[in-house]
Amino acid sequence: MKRFFATLLTVTFTAVAAAQHPSLLLTERGVAEIRAARGEVPAFDRSLEATLRGADDALAQPIVVPQPKDGGGGYTHEQHKLNYYRMFDCGVAYQMTGEAKYARYVVDMLLAYAELYPTLGYHPVKLSGVPGRIFWQTLNESVWLVHTAIAYDCVYDCLTVKERRIIEARLFRPYADFVMNGTSDNRANNAVFNRMHNHGTWATAAVGMIGMAMGDDDLVDRALYGSDKTGRTGGFIRQLDCLFSPDGYFTEGAYYQRYAIWPFVVFAQCIEHKRPEIGIFRYRDGIIPKAVATLTQLAYEGRFLRFNDALDKGYDAQELIYAVDIAYNADPSNKQLLDIAARYQNKFLPTDAGYAVARDIARGEAEPLRFRSALYRDGREGDEGGIAVMRSTDPALNSLVTLKATSHGLSHGHYDKLTMAYYDNGNEVLTDYGAARFINIEAKYKGHYTRENKSFAMQTVAHNTLVVDGRSHFDGDIKRSSKYHSEIFFADFERPAVQIVSAVERNACEGVTMRRTTAYVTTDFLQYPLILDVVKAESAEEHCYDLPYWYNGHMISLDFPYERALRRMTTLGERNGYQHLWVEAEGRNTASSTSCFTWLVGDRFYSLSTATTPQTELRLVRAGANDPDFNLRGEPAYFIRENGKRNHTFCSALESHGTYDLQVEQSANLTASCRGIEMLVDTPECTVARFTFEGGRTVTLCVAYMGDGSSVHEAEAGGEQFEWTGYYDVRM
Amino acid sequence: MKRFFATLLTVTFTAVAAAQHPSLLLTERGVAEIRAARGEVPAFDRSLEATLRGADDALAQPIVVPQPKDGGGGYTHEQHKLNYYRMFDCGVAYQMTGEAKYARYVVDMLLAYAELYPTLGYHPVKLSGVPGRIFWQTLNESVWLVHTAIAYDCVYDCLTVKERRIIEARLFRPYADFVMNGTSDNRANNAVFNRMHNHGTWATAAVGMIGMAMGDDDLVDRALYGSDKTGRTGGFIRQLDCLFSPDGYFTEGAYYQRYAIWPFVVFAQCIEHKRPEIGIFRYRDGIIPKAVATLTQLAYEGRFLRFNDALDKGYDAQELIYAVDIAYNADPSNKQLLDIAARYQNKFLPTDAGYAVARDIARGEAEPLRFRSALYRDGREGDEGGIAVMRSTDPALNSLVTLKATSHGLSHGHYDKLTMAYYDNGNEVLTDYGAARFINIEAKYKGHYTRENKSFAMQTVAHNTLVVDGRSHFDGDIKRSSKYHSEIFFADFERPAVQIVSAVERNACEGVTMRRTTAYVTTDFLQYPLILDVVKAESAEEHCYDLPYWYNGHMISLDFPYERALRRMTTLGERNGYQHLWVEAEGRNTASSTSCFTWLVGDRFYSLSTATTPQTELRLVRAGANDPDFNLRGEPAYFIRENGKRNHTFCSALESHGTYDLQVEQSANLTASCRGIEMLVDTPECTVARFTFEGGRTVTLCVAYMGDGSSVHEAEAGGEQFEWTGYYDVRM
């Protein structure tokens, strides 16, 4: 009833609003303000000039609308992408200058497309289950239409009625119909349009925005409420309900959240302009601004945390310019967004929103971006685990630990339950490989995810987490993995000296319960924070437990004897990613029950000390074997193996230490402080571990695996009594 | 006679000047100016505050002058280094604030040293042929004394006569005597003091500066004119005559020129203050400012070109702050130095010179640093070959090619005759390994050059140059190598579209003459410049000729079939550096007479096309084998082998191409344009090679190996006539 009423209202309002152009990303008022302010906000002027230059470059060349032929990165693919950027630039240029030549360019190109489009069948590159016509996949068709709708909105008033009729009848309506419904032969597009997936969001945004530009309320309603207009199975509004957790987390992770956010903010901006009565930015407790905020938190030094299928992108990605500008325009009280725009982007949308951001930065309104430790719950209801991000509280430090205990994350998820990563001093320290892909590079499997993405990057062994018997979690079966999620057992970021998170995974390795407790500890005797990492495996059967720590930087030392592969190198295994690992060195520590690996990243040292026995197999490995096309980066890992164990707890302390200034050639504190790790108690109920450091200083970690925040726990070891209330205790 | 007169004059002047303190790096007038200007030049204030903070930090802790024990990077080594920085800071702080506590700190520390010093024998770490007492090598003793002399000069007027007597008698005089003369057991120090070597310059600067601080003209004269004061065999003045070529090039290369320049500029500044009549900055046609200028030119993006024993250092190194500030103070008309200081350093010496630089930057006097293509001749007389640096003339580009045809370069030289390197778009593209060393990291061979520096980094195969029969140049014998030098046959950087250099080496490989001609060509049909590289080997006997191209970045493709090491990897050879090379892939090109390797660096692609036959062995290799301690970086090379040839000419075209913008996911021009390379003529007299590109465009390079700039050359191939005047011609 409520929705029906909203729809009715909508129709009334938009019937009036339809006559106004532009009204998608630009408004008449916005354009007037921007034109009046030329020369007053130099940073915005530079962005606008880039757009105008893009428009002039477009005009300087003939319009080329080639017959579709190539896949991603290929000529026709790139030309059609270039075309929508050019139309966008020219559309904006027309609004900003009033010069008809820009509008004419858009119209002429649209007429060329209107001639081509009716002749097209499916794209000749048959690589997608959801094939497009201009592009090899419909996803790109949607992106084309989003940009083109904005351009059309900008030049709408310049077209003759006949031109509009031709372009709408031969291009936009069949195009929107194709994106929304597919063809009678292939209804895949319709499934995507109504699907709760970011490709579906691109499709709804595309159809909705061209509907708005044409003044076609029916298309807009279908975009908002699904192709059946009920709102029950599809549509943008339902996507807002389903695609983010209540904490604004997108299940595929930060890299794809970056991509997913784009159609959300663009279409939301249009909805706010055309159907303000929906209050789209307040919808679901403000899920859009919340998703933008969460995304900006899932970053380090402006680069998105690299987990699942992720490449190196950050705040400077074009999607983030859209996200930051539009989110700020929706809520100008959030001055931290200005800081992101000023420090990392310095590019602004040539729209009302971009202008507002640039103007307010120029007015000095930016406030420093503040990071916080947080748990981002996964799942539509927030009940499918989550990812914990623990950050340094001391602003002089710059470190971050993650523990990932989420659901699988759709097709871009990895088999990496309870994986962790560490960032410090501006660098990745314990790393996540991310995706094996050379996006848009034809020579590398046409720019798609390479074979090694599945055979290595997705496999458990490519991550800093437990591998049981050399098998990936859920045996690498996405169907099984998608049924389950890890659980956050507890998380506490409130104590000044200790931040901690503990998670459990019961399904990934049959018959084995995995737990990981990771703490970020500030001591008064170590130079930098101490990371404690306790990975506990429990099973009724004997297993081979592997725990790799993938690292960035250069190996400095191992404190036990090892044999280096000198003249010949072989692989660690045959399958599940192990076939990609060269064994560079192997050793055992018979002299001490704690083994330490030290490496250098940038100007700082990192030492990982782990409780081991003479049976523990310790290796240094490197990715790159069985990689016929050189698709892998040769990243290194420190690899700990405990064989023939029912239960085993990997207990490690990671120190960041040392001052290493090459410019003045001064160094200090280059060796680890940790002198020993004792597992005092290790039962199904709890673990008590003591870490001893130089000078006899100790840190004792007590973790309970049952009870709740008020339970009292007791344990005893060697006559020493331990008692604590709640999930954990850390004594120093 | 002239020198004798200068010396006489000196004595007269300095007898007067001796009473004034400070007068080494600071002057009374300078201090007054700096004190008056506090708050007016914020950038300088920040540097000065860092010094004052350093002084306060020093005062907050007890004075620790430990018994010498550790080598580089170890505790006592670092503590004694810290001590001289602390004395320096406190000396300056005293001058800037007038607060006696800072002077007292210096005096107390000097008294502590005066107690320790007479008790010391040689340092317990026996690793140097020139051992010190406080440090493991005398070099560090000299550096200590340079800093301490400055501190002593600053606080001189605060000491009681008795304190001066104790410190001078027990510390400075025996210390200077040790540095200058060594001991009766070991005269190595005396040899170094008088040697034409940068360690000798540190020694003369140290002795001269403490002489100046104490008012001891005899010490100053010995520093200037050798321990025998004749000026004929040793001393700073003679070092100025011998250690730089007439072009201001220091034979060890840029990295050590950085280090060598430090004592030169520091002592020169003191000489200018204390003995202005020498006109030290004008000496030998202004060799000191010329050496600073040459050093700043031997850099890319502010990092020194990496050849010979080099680590990653640049304009921000502390030596360069000394060099830039003091050179500017000596010649304030050179406003480009201000640009270096402002953009790369933003730190200033807390001295007259540093203040002058900061003040003039604040006045807006900086002029953009201009780079130019140049040949820097090697050798005291400029007749021992040289290094050519060819740079982009288009300011929108940022590329640089080097061809090294110098003398050996003393103990830090590599066996790399005619090696080349390429830098582009902000990155190293074709690289030079530089040194295998982890400076100051005890765990890595105590911070010294590692074994692999000799077994790999110095060997010919670690460089982008010709290896004959798997043997390094001069068989890696420095004595033989030091007898010879390569010759620059011609160099021409004057034509707008072509810069070119050609060099020859006749001694490095017995019975083989090597020539290399490298050209930086600007075409009107390629996106970025084209590098042509022609390496010609001539011999009466059959040889195996190897030409590696070490590269930075990720392998993208080879245009011929190859076999990748998948499950097992072995080394390329057994000795001369080959034992360190893993063979990652090998192949032959039976389908085409041109083979192409493409790789990605940053957001740009590089394609090296080479004329090959089906017999040419092509490999991808990677450093890292036979490296028991993980001392090597795993850098990759494309490796071309021609076996069983008397004469062979490697002829290659290196294209930089492609636009790869990950942020907007747009790419273009990702494949090589070169379609074929034909060796039209290849005789002992000349080479004519034609490079054909997409669309049939060609570049024809004609190079003569005899005659001079006005000789006429003729050649004929397949009925086509080639005639050119001078050393070369390039036709497009």
Side-chain angles (χ1 to χ4, degrees):
Chain A
M1 184 60 205
K2 197 172 149 206
R3 176 140 301 153
F4 176 72
F5 180 68
T7 311
L8 263 189
L9 254 179
T10 303
V11 173
T12 321
F13 270 80
T14 51
V16 178
Q20 288 187 3
H21 291 279
S23 57
L24 295 184
L25 293 192
L26 284 163
T27 63
E28 279 186 294
R29 197 177 132 209
V31 169
E33 194 183 355
I34 292 169
R35 289 175 73 154
R38 284 297 287 277
E40 285 173 22
V41 185
F44 183 78
D45 287 343
R46 276 193 297 277
S47 278
L48 187 52
E49 276 150 27
T51 300
L52 298 178
R53 213 162 38 241
D56 287 331
D57 287 352
L59 262 55
Q61 287 170 44
I63 287 171
V64 179
V65 177
Q67 184 72 21
K69 178 169 156 291
D70 304 316
Y75 165 68
T76 68
H77 183 95
E78 294 301 320
Q79 182 65 38
H80 287 296
K81 279 175 70 178
L82 193 60
N83 283 349
Y84 67 64
Y85 284 121
R86 284 179 168 169
M87 284 193 279
F88 179 97
D89 287 348
C90 286
V92 171
Y94 170 66
Q95 286 297 330
M96 295 303 163
T97 66
E99 290 186 48
K101 62 183 181 183
Y102 298 116
R104 184 46 39 199
Y105 179 90
V106 176
V107 177
D108 288 347
M109 186 174 280
L110 289 175
L111 288 169
Y113 272 104
E115 207 154 303
L116 175 71
Y117 195 77
T119 71
L120 297 179
Y122 279 103
H123 193 278
V125 170
K126 308 285 183 206
L127 269 169
S128 170
V130 193
R133 286 175 167 164
I134 293 175
F135 299 97
W136 67 282
Q137 58 173 352
T138 297
L139 174 59
N140 296 92
E141 312 272 305
S142 299
V143 179
W144 185 97
L145 190 54
V146 162
H147 286 81
T148 305
I150 297 163
Y152 188 59
D153 177 50
C154 285
V155 305
Y156 189 88
D157 291 337
C158 286
L159 275 76
T160 64
V161 172
K162 187 178 165 202
E163 284 167 341
R164 271 183 219 149
R165 198 180 311 129
I166 291 169
I167 290 168
E168 296 188 4
R170 295 198 194 156
L171 179 61
F172 288 147
R173 287 185 194 283
Y175 197 118
D177 180 62
F178 175 69
V179 167
M180 181 162 63
N181 298 314
T183 61
S184 53
D185 294 349
N186 185 344
R187 301 273 293 164
N189 281 353
N190 182 253
V192 168
F193 183 87
N194 290 303
R195 205 156 96 202
M196 297 301 107
H197 185 280
N198 76 79
H199 291 193
T201 311
W202 276 108
T204 56
V207 169
M209 285 167 67
I210 199 65
M212 288 172 174
M214 296 192 295
D216 182 335
D217 287 325
D218 183 66
L219 279 183
V220 178
D221 289 340
R222 290 180 198 277
L224 289 172
Y225 304 114
S227 61
D228 65 1
K229 295 209 273 189
T230 66
R232 278 195 296 271
T233 54
F236 185 75
I237 299 294
R238 196 171 142 79
Q239 285 160 348
L240 285 176
D241 291 335
C242 295
L243 282 178
F244 297 100
S245 83
D247 295 332
Y249 177 76
F250 175 66
T251 190
E252 291 185 336
Y255 178 82
Y256 273 100
Q257 181 152 350
R258 159 205 57 87
Y259 189 64
I261 203 78
W262 191 0
F264 277 109
V265 293
V266 170
F267 193 26
Q269 178 67 85
C270 300
I271 294 167
E272 186 72 359
H273 283 151
K274 302 289 282 191
R275 298 199 178 179
E277 68 284 2
I278 292 179
I280 194 72
F281 289 109
R282 294 186 306 279
Y283 185 79
R284 199 187 164 202
D285 201 19
I287 194 69
I288 292 175
K290 195 179 284 181
V292 173
T294 293
L295 177 55
T296 59
Q297 288 284 328
L298 290 172
Y300 183 74
E301 297 269 297
R303 319 305 301 162
F304 294 120
L305 301 181
R306 203 198 293 252
F307 55 89
N308 289 341
D309 279 346
L311 300 174
D312 180 23
K313 293 213 180 192
Y315 294 161
D316 54 345
Q318 63 181 342
E319 299 90 337
L320 267 284
I321 298 171
Y322 277 91
V324 166
D325 288 0
I326 290 172
Y328 180 74
N329 198 38
D331 175 13
S333 76
N334 185 352
K335 302 299 182 190
Q336 293 183 42
L337 290 168
L338 301 180
D339 190 34
I340 297 177
R343 282 200 295 144
Y344 293 98
Q345 299 176 336
N346 211 15
K347 282 185 191 164
F348 305 92
L349 294 183
T351 69
D352 299 20
Y355 175 70
V357 169
R359 177 196 63 210
D360 292 354
I361 290 170
R363 288 177 180 167
E365 297 181 8
E367 288 175 12
L369 180 60
R370 277 190 302 277
F371 291 104
R372 59 181 194 281
S373 295
L375 173 66
Y376 298 99
R377 291 170 295 162
D378 192 9
R380 180 179 171 178
E381 306 294 340
D383 56 358
E384 300 182 20
I387 181 165
V389 178
M390 297 186 285
R391 291 181 182 268
S392 42
T393 46
D394 177 351
L397 300 173
N398 179 20
S399 47
L400 182 163
V401 182
T402 59
L403 196 162
K404 179 172 180 262
T406 62
S407 68
H408 186 75
L410 309 181
S411 63
H412 293 297
H414 287 194
Y415 301 94
D416 63 352
K417 296 299 173 193
L418 310 193
T419 194
M420 63 89 74
Y422 183 49
Y423 300 73
D424 180 58
N425 192 31
N427 298 301
E428 290 182 70
V429 176
L430 292 174
T431 59
D432 190 304
Y433 190 89
R437 183 182 187 187
F438 293 80
I439 199 164
N440 277 3
I441 299 183
E442 281 241 24
K444 292 293 191 194
Y445 200 58
K446 295 189 181 299
H448 301 295
Y449 288 97
T450 66
R451 273 180 307 228
E452 293 73 18
N453 194 54
K454 189 159 186 202
S455 67
F456 177 70
M458 280 188 168
Q459 298 296 323
T460 307
V461 77
H463 301 84
N464 302 322
T465 190
L466 187 74
V467 194
V468 178
D469 300 328
R471 291 161 58 186
S472 282
H473 297 165
F474 300 103
D475 281 319
D477 178 346
I478 189 172
K479 281 195 187 140
R480 274 177 57 208
S481 184
S482 299
K483 281 185 201 151
Y484 303 100
H485 57 83
S486 306
E487 299 279 358
I488 299 287
F489 182 55
F490 67 84
D492 183 1
F493 313 133
E494 299 305 315
R495 287 171 58 177
V498 180
Q499 301 182 64
I500 190 166
V501 59
S502 186
V504 59
E505 167 60 50
R506 300 174 199 276
N507 303 294
C509 309
E510 239 179 290
V512 179
T513 299
M514 293 163 51
R515 294 177 175 277
R516 185 173 217 149
T517 306
T518 304
Y520 179 108
V521 179
T522 304
T523 67
D524 59 6
F525 55 92
L526 293 173
Q527 188 179 10
Y528 295 115
L530 172 70
I531 311 302
L532 304 180
D533 191 32
V534 180
V535 177
K536 185 176 176 67
E538 289 180 296
S539 177
E541 313 290 329
E542 283 190 1
H543 294 284
C544 175
Y545 293 121
D546 286 347
L547 181 61
Y549 283 96
W550 291 89
Y551 67 95
N552 178 31
H554 196 104
M555 186 278 190
I556 294 296
S557 63
L558 292 167
D559 75 345
F560 52 86
Y562 61 89
E563 198 177 329
R564 172 78 154 105
L566 294 176
R567 302 172 55 175
R568 189 169 172 280
M569 202 150 56
T570 54
T571 63
L572 183 59
E574 297 293 321
R575 59 187 66 81
N576 302 329
Y578 285 70
Q579 73 275 25
H580 292 294
L581 305 183
W582 294 117
V583 179
E584 294 200 321
E586 40 197 349
R588 290 171 195 252
N589 193 344
T590 55
S592 165
S593 60
T594 304
S595 302
C596 181
F597 167 54
T598 298
W599 71 103
L600 172 66
V601 189
D603 60 0
R604 196 167 290 175
F605 290 73
Y606 299 89
S607 288
L608 186 78
S609 300
T610 306
T612 56
T613 69
Q615 286 72 50
T616 308
E617 299 172 29
L618 298 164
R619 290 185 178 82
L620 291 172
V621 303
R622 190 175 291 274
N626 278 294
D627 175 23
D629 303 321
F630 289 87
N631 288 338
L632 290 175
R633 304 188 305 273
E635 301 205 342
Y638 175 57
F639 201 100
I640 310 169
R641 171 168 290 179
E642 298 285 353
N643 213 338
K645 297 279 182 84
R646 286 197 173 82
N647 301 326
H648 183 76
T649 301
F650 295 87
C651 189
S652 302
L654 173 63
E655 296 166 62
S656 311
H657 60 95
T659 307
Y660 184 59
D661 186 336
L662 188 60
Q663 301 317 315
V664 298
E665 299 197 3
Q666 275 188 302
S667 58
N669 197 18
L670 304 192
T671 52
S673 169
C674 187
R675 292 286 168 271
I677 302 174
E678 292 162 278
M679 300 297 291
L680 300 175
V681 182
D682 194 32
T683 67
E685 290 81 38
C686 69
T687 297
V688 178
R690 176 166 294 153
F691 304 81
T692 303
F693 298 88
E694 202 178 343
R697 304 294 300 262
T698 63
V699 175
T700 307
L701 173 68
C702 307
V703 184
Y705 301 121
M706 43 192 17
D708 57 29
S710 57
S711 307
V712 176
H713 302 274
E714 285 179 10
E716 186 269 338
E720 202 176 346
Q721 299 295 324
F722 299 91
E723 190 184 309
W724 69 98
T725 303
Y727 297 109
Y728 75 98
D729 194 21
V730 175
R731 296 172 195 181
M732 298 188 266
Chain B
M1 184 61 205
K2 198 171 151 204
R3 176 142 298 154
F4 176 72
F5 181 67
T7 311
L8 263 190
L9 254 179
T10 303
V11 173
T12 320
F13 271 79
T14 51
V16 179
Q20 288 186 2
H21 292 279
S23 56
L24 295 184
L25 293 192
L26 285 163
T27 63
E28 279 185 292
R29 195 177 133 211
V31 169
E33 196 183 354
I34 292 169
R35 289 174 74 153
R38 285 296 287 279
E40 285 172 22
V41 184
F44 182 78
D45 287 343
R46 276 193 297 277
S47 278
L48 187 52
E49 278 151 25
T51 300
L52 298 178
R53 215 162 36 241
D56 288 331
D57 287 352
L59 263 54
Q61 288 170 42
I63 287 172
V64 179
V65 176
Q67 183 73 23
K69 180 170 155 288
D70 304 318
Y75 165 68
T76 68
H77 182 95
E78 294 300 320
Q79 183 64 38
H80 288 295
K81 280 175 69 178
L82 193 60
N83 283 348
Y84 67 64
Y85 283 121
R86 283 179 168 168
M87 284 193 277
F88 179 97
D89 287 348
C90 287
V92 172
Y94 171 67
Q95 286 296 331
M96 295 303 163
T97 65
E99 290 186 48
K101 62 183 180 183
Y102 298 116
R104 186 43 41 198
Y105 180 90
V106 176
V107 177
D108 288 347
M109 186 175 279
L110 288 175
L111 288 168
Y113 272 104
E115 207 154 305
L116 175 72
Y117 195 77
T119 71
L120 297 178
Y122 279 104
H123 194 277
V125 170
K126 308 283 183 207
L127 270 168
S128 171
V130 193
R133 286 174 167 165
I134 294 175
F135 298 97
W136 67 282
Q137 57 173 352
T138 296
L139 174 59
N140 296 93
E141 312 272 306
S142 299
V143 179
W144 185 96
L145 191 54
V146 162
H147 286 80
T148 305
I150 297 163
Y152 189 59
D153 177 50
C154 285
V155 304
Y156 189 89
D157 291 337
C158 288
L159 274 76
T160 63
V161 172
K162 189 179 164 200
E163 284 168 340
R164 271 184 218 150
R165 197 180 311 129
I166 293 169
I167 290 168
E168 296 188 3
R170 295 195 193 159
L171 179 62
F172 289 147
R173 287 186 195 282
Y175 197 118
D177 180 63
F178 175 68
V179 168
M180 182 163 59
N181 299 314
T183 62
S184 52
D185 295 348
N186 186 342
R187 302 273 296 165
N189 281 353
N190 181 253
V192 168
F193 183 87
N194 290 303
R195 204 155 96 202
M196 297 300 106
H197 186 278
N198 77 79
H199 292 192
T201 311
W202 276 107
T204 56
V207 170
M209 286 167 66
I210 199 64
M212 289 172 173
M214 295 192 295
D216 182 334
D217 287 325
D218 183 66
L219 279 183
V220 178
D221 289 340
R222 290 180 198 277
L224 289 172
Y225 304 113
S227 60
D228 64 2
K229 295 207 272 188
T230 64
R232 279 195 294 272
T233 54
F236 186 74
I237 299 295
R238 196 172 142 78
Q239 285 160 348
L240 285 177
D241 291 334
C242 295
L243 283 177
F244 297 101
S245 83
D247 294 333
Y249 177 77
F250 175 66
T251 189
E252 291 186 335
Y255 179 80
Y256 272 98
Q257 182 153 351
R258 160 205 57 87
Y259 189 63
I261 203 79
W262 191 0
F264 276 110
V265 294
V266 170
F267 194 25
Q269 178 67 86
C270 300
I271 294 167
E272 185 74 359
H273 284 149
K274 301 290 280 191
R275 299 200 178 178
E277 67 284 3
I278 292 179
I280 195 73
F281 289 109
R282 294 186 307 278
Y283 185 78
R284 198 187 166 201
D285 201 18
I287 193 70
I288 293 175
K290 196 180 285 181
V292 173
T294 293
L295 177 55
T296 58
Q297 287 285 327
L298 289 171
Y300 183 74
E301 297 267 297
R303 318 304 301 161
F304 294 118
L305 301 181
R306 204 198 295 250
F307 55 90
N308 289 342
D309 278 347
L311 300 173
D312 179 25
K313 293 215 179 190
Y315 294 160
D316 54 345
Q318 62 181 343
E319 299 90 340
L320 267 284
I321 298 170
Y322 277 90
V324 166
D325 288 0
I326 290 172
Y328 180 74
N329 198 38
D331 175 13
S333 74
N334 186 351
K335 302 299 182 190
Q336 293 184 40
L337 290 168
L338 301 179
D339 190 36
I340 296 176
R343 281 200 296 143
Y344 293 97
Q345 300 177 338
N346 210 17
K347 282 184 191 163
F348 306 92
L349 293 183
T351 70
D352 299 20
Y355 175 70
V357 169
R359 178 197 63 210
D360 292 353
I361 290 170
R363 288 177 179 166
E365 297 181 8
E367 287 174 12
L369 181 60
R370 276 189 303 276
F371 291 104
R372 58 180 194 282
S373 295
L375 174 66
Y376 299 98
R377 291 170 295 160
D378 192 8
R380 180 179 171 179
E381 307 295 337
D383 57 358
E384 300 181 22
I387 181 165
V389 177
M390 297 187 285
R391 291 181 181 269
S392 42
T393 45
D394 178 352
L397 300 173
N398 179 20
S399 46
L400 181 163
V401 181
T402 58
L403 196 162
K404 179 171 180 266
T406 61
S407 68
H408 186 75
L410 308 182
S411 63
H412 292 297
H414 287 193
Y415 301 94
D416 63 351
K417 296 299 171 193
L418 309 194
T419 194
M420 63 90 74
Y422 182 49
Y423 300 73
D424 180 58
N425 192 31
N427 297 301
E428 291 181 71
V429 176
L430 291 174
T431 59
D432 190 304
Y433 190 90
R437 183 182 187 187
F438 293 80
I439 199 165
N440 277 3
I441 300 182
E442 281 240 23
K444 291 294 192 195
Y445 201 57
K446 297 191 180 297
H448 301 294
Y449 288 97
T450 66
R451 273 181 306 233
E452 293 73 17
N453 195 55
K454 189 159 186 203
S455 67
F456 178 69
M458 281 188 168
Q459 299 295 323
T460 306
V461 76
H463 300 86
N464 302 321
T465 190
L466 187 73
V467 194
V468 178
D469 300 327
R471 291 161 57 187
S472 283
H473 297 166
F474 301 102
D475 280 319
D477 179 346
I478 188 171
K479 281 194 189 142
R480 273 177 57 206
S481 183
S482 298
K483 282 184 203 153
Y484 304 99
H485 57 83
S486 306
E487 299 279 357
I488 299 288
F489 182 56
F490 67 85
D492 183 1
F493 313 134
E494 301 305 315
R495 286 172 57 178
V498 179
Q499 301 182 65
I500 189 165
V501 58
S502 185
V504 60
E505 167 60 49
R506 301 176 199 277
N507 303 294
C509 309
E510 238 178 289
V512 179
T513 298
M514 292 164 53
R515 295 177 173 277
R516 185 172 216 149
T517 306
T518 304
Y520 180 107
V521 179
T522 304
T523 67
D524 59 4
F525 55 92
L526 293 173
Q527 188 178 10
Y528 295 114
L530 172 69
I531 311 301
L532 304 180
D533 191 30
V534 180
V535 178
K536 185 175 176 70
E538 289 179 298
S539 178
E541 313 292 326
E542 282 191 1
H543 294 285
C544 174
Y545 292 121
D546 286 348
L547 182 60
Y549 283 97
W550 291 90
Y551 67 95
N552 179 31
H554 197 103
M555 186 277 190
I556 293 297
S557 62
L558 291 167
D559 74 345
F560 52 86
Y562 61 90
E563 198 177 330
R564 172 79 154 103
L566 295 176
R567 302 171 57 174
R568 189 169 172 278
M569 201 148 57
T570 54
T571 62
L572 183 58
E574 297 294 321
R575 60 189 64 81
N576 303 329
Y578 285 70
Q579 73 276 25
H580 292 294
L581 305 182
W582 293 118
V583 179
E584 294 200 322
E586 41 197 347
R588 291 172 195 252
N589 193 345
T590 54
S592 164
S593 61
T594 303
S595 302
C596 182
F597 167 54
T598 298
W599 72 103
L600 172 67
V601 189
D603 60 359
R604 195 167 292 175
F605 290 73
Y606 298 89
S607 289
L608 186 79
S609 300
T610 305
T612 56
T613 70
Q615 286 71 48
T616 308
E617 298 173 29
L618 298 164
R619 290 185 177 82
L620 291 171
V621 303
R622 190 175 292 270
N626 278 295
D627 174 24
D629 302 322
F630 289 87
N631 289 337
L632 291 175
R633 305 188 305 274
E635 301 205 342
Y638 176 57
F639 200 101
I640 310 169
R641 171 169 289 178
E642 298 286 351
N643 214 338
K645 297 277 182 85
R646 286 197 175 82
N647 302 327
H648 182 76
T649 301
F650 295 87
C651 189
S652 302
L654 174 63
E655 296 166 61
S656 311
H657 60 94
T659 306
Y660 184 61
D661 185 336
L662 187 61
Q663 300 318 314
V664 298
E665 298 197 4
Q666 275 188 305
S667 58
N669 198 18
L670 303 192
T671 52
S673 170
C674 186
R675 292 286 168 270
I677 301 174
E678 293 162 276
M679 299 297 290
L680 300 176
V681 181
D682 194 30
T683 67
E685 290 80 38
C686 70
T687 297
V688 177
R690 176 166 293 155
F691 304 80
T692 303
F693 297 89
E694 202 178 343
R697 304 296 299 261
T698 63
V699 174
T700 306
L701 172 69
C702 308
V703 185
Y705 301 121
M706 45 194 15
D708 58 28
S710 57
S711 307
V712 176
H713 301 276
E714 285 180 9
E716 186 271 337
E720 201 174 348
Q721 298 296 324
F722 300 92
E723 190 184 311
W724 70 97
T725 302
Y727 298 109
Y728 75 98
D729 193 22
V730 175
R731 298 171 194 183
M732 298 189 265

